[in-house]
Amino acid sequence: MTRDNFRWRALPLTLVLWTIGACLAPDVQTNSTLDTPLQWESVETENTPIARHEASLVAFKDTLLLIGGRGLKPVDEYRVHENKWVQKSFPPIELHHFQAVTIGDTVYIVGAMTGPWPIETPVDRVIAYYPKEDRFEYLHDIPEPRRRGSAGAVVHDGKIYLVGGITNGHMDGTKAWLDEYDPKTGAWRVLPDAPHARDHFQLAVQDEKLYAFAGRRSRQRTSQGFELTVRFGDVFDLRTNEWRTVSNSSEIPVQRAGNMAIAVNDEIVIGGGESSAQVAAHGEVEAYNTQSRTWREWPRLNRGRHGTGFARIGEYIYTASGSGNRGGEPELTSLERLKVQRSAPVRAVTEHRPVHQQWHTLTLSFEGPTTSETANPNPFTDYRLLVDFVHPKSSYTVRGFYAADGNAAETSADAGNVWQVRFTPDELGEWTYSARLQQGEGIAIAADLDDGTRLDLKDASGAFYVQPSDKDGVDFRANGRLTVEKGYFKFAQSDRHWLKGGTNSPENLLGYADFDGTYRINDETRDGEATAGENLHRFEPHIDDWQLGDPSWQDGKGKGLIGALNYLASEGMNSAYFLTLNILGDGQDVWPYRSPDDVSRFDVSKLDQWEIVFSHMQQKGILLHIVTQETENELMLDGGETGSERKLYFQELVARFGHHPGLIWNLGEENGPVHWRPEGQNTQQRIDMATYLKAVDPYQNPVVLHTHSEAHDKDEILTPLLGVSALDGLSFQVSERETVNAEVQKWMRLSRDAGSPWLITMDEIGKWDIGAKPDALDPTHDTLRRHALWGTLLAGGAGVEWYFGAHQPGNDLTSEDWRMRQNLWRQTRHAMTFFETHLEYWNMQPCEVAHVYCLSAPAQRYVVYLPDQNNIDLTGLVAPGDYAVQWFDPIAGGALQTGSHPQTQGGTDLEIGKPPAPSGDWVLLLDARPPTSNDGSE
């Protein structure tokens, strides 16, 4: 982080002209035009401090302290009454990128970084400096999951509040975190995340509110070290523990990071900084009036700077040191000060539109009629909330839902007058919305959107502004909505493609003890099925994977499941398959209803708790693979038809969860009749389900169908579905893993020939009783890796999920510990990383060579899987030309390697040489080399 010590211009001697201008100006930003403004004063001192930046300037009684900075630097103390600098002791380690704060006789350093650019390390402890004793001391450990640097810090009522920061040096990992630290006890409390993630900024506090302005999202990994400045400020009310809704009044006039901040009278003053807009450090100083919520200019610093701070002693604000240009040079030694005037007059607050972020869910709550889950009229069938969201480029009509008291996940309420809608905006800029609540018998599924009686709804219309998301990495909010294009996953508003790798088990993931209204109807084991056992899931082995700041509900419920999902994400997995209805199936422990005997009334608190988990999955980059029914439930709703029961079920799922950008709807596990269960849905019923889901889902999330395992069953059930536009793909099940590659290729070819290419993912590998064994029973997972994983991907499949089998430890219903298959997750991650790093796989096709798993872009690139001790004949595979020969280890992963032949000639006789090691599986990558010029030039 690079923070400039600001040199401020002095405040105006008279404020009359500014007051008149402020009252008349229609704009949020107001410029001072006084004739005789005071200026920042450069202070000539007896000596100078050590040049430094990324340091902290803090006032202690009648002295200024410069602490830290790049390199190991001693404390410099400025004695105001003596007008000189005195060098003090060194900190125990290099400290930089922090905002020091003072309580009593102690200066606290919380959330610093150490080490060189660009991968600095967050300091793991709080450090105290005692100026009277000139001594540093390590204090409490900072909880590991909350460590970061370059955050803003302030003191309020003896507690230290830390906002934002970055976890991975300057590379990435900017956070929206807010934490409270009690220096007396060491207690660390996680508070709600800010609306925006930011680093390289300073925090200010005034009137029991925290103010975070400026800063950026440093992302050196993508060479965006200065560009991603934060446009809007955030305000947190310490009395209510809530962030104020972001509005355009908090837009800072000059965007920059590495700035200083201080509260003065009724204003939050922001000065200095750095940005991609200019090489020189910023000298601008701007003040945000917390009463009128307007901005005005303050006098500019004499010397623009960043990477330092503001500190106040008496009637003066001081700044010192810092860097004079963007980046780390030149480091400054100068000191300047500005005399503080009385606060400016306040003008009335103008209403401003709330600000939200693209791909972040917006929840609107409306006050409607008071009712309950058990009331008549039924709030789920006889009311309908519709909200129109309109943007110049697009519009959506989104169905809302009954929300009881609006906080049912915490209160378990089943009554109230709150109705909600969840919406994920896809376009930047201005949106408007208009809501209508209708009543009438069965109106929830009425085709005519104008049916029913209109009811009064408070605050039924409004507007908001959408800015770019501040998230990065795997978080779906950073990437947008997942769609299907030509048989592959692709994000809707970018050219980025995406491969799926994750878990298919336990299928009854939501049969979790901490969800309201969840229990097992029957724990008897049926012949040929997995044993569910007596107990609901608790995921106790993963409780320690829950991290400070992660969600929970009702005083700590949910930690086991949230921790389990954290573990899955830590292994690079990005998908989880789970049922939302298994009343007549194996587990008999998952349903969205208030009671399994009444499919017209839903459990509001349970579904809100599901939503907490689903939102966390999205932040961790885990796809919601929502399987809407178990095979035994196909005829439960409407006898298999898409009638009133199924329509209501689909409508509620879409209204409550369809807003998530990383989601696919699965029409049902093992859908269709087979010899071992002849009762099932027919072709038209499958088409009707897919068509209805597409019709009621405003986001058009992908719709897939889970297949049976045997080839002849697929032929009978899937053939009539070829060309059905509402069906985006198949969730594949295969009994014999050696046939995966051929079967995936077959159905991709058939669907492509029918005019609607299917996305196919390998989600349940047989045999049914075996599946994926734990590492203890199958440490290498050879057949899964070769045939199910690489066999799928090299056939043109879009990903895999791992089914745990019916008769394995931690089976398809009882699995509690995903670590039991850690080797399998890692091999899956290696395959996904290879494809995403080295291939434009969406532009490649399977090779037409018998018994070879191969994907190619002919005459350009070829990828071939070579199993251990299997001499595969590659004759005729590669077109003539020069090729680089590289190898990839599918078990250990890592970088591409070179074997005995670094290059080869394509054509009849392909000489690839030997891989880097004589045994083990290898992936061969052949890349075409550009032709050599005839004149010998390069």
Side-chain angles (χ1 to χ4, degrees), residues 484 489 500 504 577 625-631 634 640 646 650 664-673 677 680-691 693-694 701-709 713-722 724 726-734 747 758-764 801:
V484 174
F489 288 112
K500 182 179 78 168
N504 184 267
Y577 170 115
H625 187 168
I626 298 180
V627 187
T628 59
Q629 59 183 352
E630 195 169 7
T631 183
E634 288 179 39
R646 193 178 303 276
F650 282 169
I664 54 177
W665 303 115
N666 192 320
L667 296 176
E669 177 214 34
E670 297 173 340
N671 191 265
R677 193 187 53 79
Q681 289 177 295
N682 60 38
T683 297
Q684 189 58 52
Q685 290 169 336
R686 282 185 278 279
I687 294 173
D688 290 345
M689 285 194 299
T691 302
L693 254 180
K694 284 289 188 181
N701 289 296
V703 175
V704 301
L705 181 76
H706 187 281
T707 74
H708 283 287
S709 63
D713 292 324
K714 294 188 186 73
D715 289 339
E716 183 173 344
I717 295 171
L718 300 180
T719 300
L721 300 177
L722 291 166
V724 174
L727 185 63
D728 296 296
L730 302 177
S731 175
F732 227 49
Q733 181 180 177
V734 177
W747 288 103
W758 277 342
L759 170 138
I760 299 179
T761 56
M762 181 62 248
D763 293 339
E764 185 167 339
E801 288 173 349

Side-chain angles (χ1 to χ4, degrees), residues 424-436:
T424 301
D426 57 346
E427 296 287 351
L428 301 175
E430 298 285 341
W431 286 82
T432 60
Y433 66 87
S434 177
R436 59 192 186 275

Side-chain angles (χ1 to χ4, degrees), residues 117 820 928:
W117 182 91
M820 294 174 67

Side-chain angles (χ1 to χ4, degrees), residues 512-516 518 537-538 553-554 556-560 609:
Y512 179 51
D514 285 359
F515 289 138
D516 285 356
T518 302
H537 289 297
R538 294 188 179 276
W553 57 91
Q554 297 183 1
K557 287 185 177 180
K559 291 184 176 181
Q609 290 160 2

Side-chain angles (χ1 to χ4, degrees), residues 18-19 21-32 206 211 213 235 244 247-253 264 266-270 285-298 343-352:
W18 181 88
T19 304
C23 293
L24 296 178
D27 211 20
V28 230
Q29 179 177 341
T30 306
N31 295 327
S32 175
Q206 185 179 89
Y211 292 86
F213 288 109
V235 182
R244 179 194 294 166
S247 69
N248 57 8
S249 67
S250 69
E251 180 179 357
I252 191 167
V264 179
D266 290 328
E267 294 181 302
I268 306 299
V269 183
I270 307 296
V285 181
E286 295 159 330
Y288 176 79
N289 191 298
T290 60
Q291 304 301 309
S292 65
R293 301 183 190 176
T294 57
W295 289 91
R296 67 168 175 140
E297 289 184 357
W298 271 33
S343 60
V346 173
R347 64 170 171 152
V349 176
T350 305
E351 289 299 320
H352 299 286

Side-chain angles (χ1 to χ4, degrees), residues 253-479:
V254 178
Q255 294 182 47
R256 71 268 205 194
N259 57 284
M260 295 89 76
I262 193 170
V264 179
N265 299 324
D266 290 328
E267 294 181 302
I268 306 299
V269 183
I270 307 296
E274 62 179 347
S275 73
S276 61
Q278 60 191 59
V279 174
H282 285 270
E284 294 93 338
V285 181
E286 295 159 330
Y288 176 79
N289 191 298
T290 60
Q291 304 301 309
S292 65
R293 301 183 190 176
T294 57
W295 289 91
R296 67 168 175 140
E297 289 184 357
W298 271 33
R300 289 178 61 92
L301 297 168
N302 292 328
R303 180 66 162 95
R305 65 186 75 209
H306 68 91
T308 180
F310 282 145
R312 181 172 179 175
I313 297 178
E315 58 184 358
Y316 286 96
I317 298 173
Y318 292 84
T319 188
S321 210
S323 177
N325 287 336
R326 181 177 65 209
E329 295 179 347
E331 290 186 323
L332 307 176
T333 60
S334 59
L335 170 71
E336 43 187 304
R337 69 180 184 176
L338 177 69
K339 193 170 186 178
V340 177
Q341 303 292 298
R342 63 183 176 86
S343 60
V346 173
R347 64 170 171 152
V349 176
T350 305
E351 289 299 320
H352 299 286
R353 295 185 177 183
V355 177
H356 298 280
Q357 296 187 54
Q358 187 181 32
W359 305 120
H360 292 231
T361 297
L362 161 68
T363 300
L364 297 176
S365 296
F366 305 97
E367 292 183 13
T370 299
T371 183
S372 74
E373 293 175 357
T374 60
N376 287 308
N378 184 333
F380 306 104
T381 61
D382 300 335
Y383 291 85
R384 179 171 63 189
L385 173 64
L386 296 173
V387 184
D388 296 316
F389 292 92
V390 179
H391 182 275
K393 293 183 179 179
S394 65
S395 63
Y396 294 86
T397 297
V398 181
R399 188 179 189 267
F401 52 90
Y402 177 57
D405 67 349
N407 190 30
E410 291 294 335
T411 64
S412 296
D414 62 3
N417 70 336
V418 179
W419 303 75
Q420 291 182 333
V421 67
R422 295 174 181 143
F423 176 62
T424 301
D426 57 346
E427 296 287 351
L428 301 175
E430 298 285 341
W431 286 82
T432 60
Y433 66 87
S434 177
R436 59 192 186 275
L437 184 64
Q438 303 155 318
Q439 184 180 359
E441 185 176 354
I443 195 173
I445 59 171
D448 189 343
L449 299 186
D450 293 322
D451 274 359
T453 302
R454 290 282 292 264
L455 303 178
D456 289 337
L457 204 58
K458 187 177 180 181
D459 299 325
S461 62
F464 55 91
Y465 182 87
V466 173
Q467 64 175 356
S469 171
D470 62 1
K471 304 307 176 188
D472 56 18
V474 298
D475 192 325
F476 278 105
R477 296 171 300 172
N479 298 295

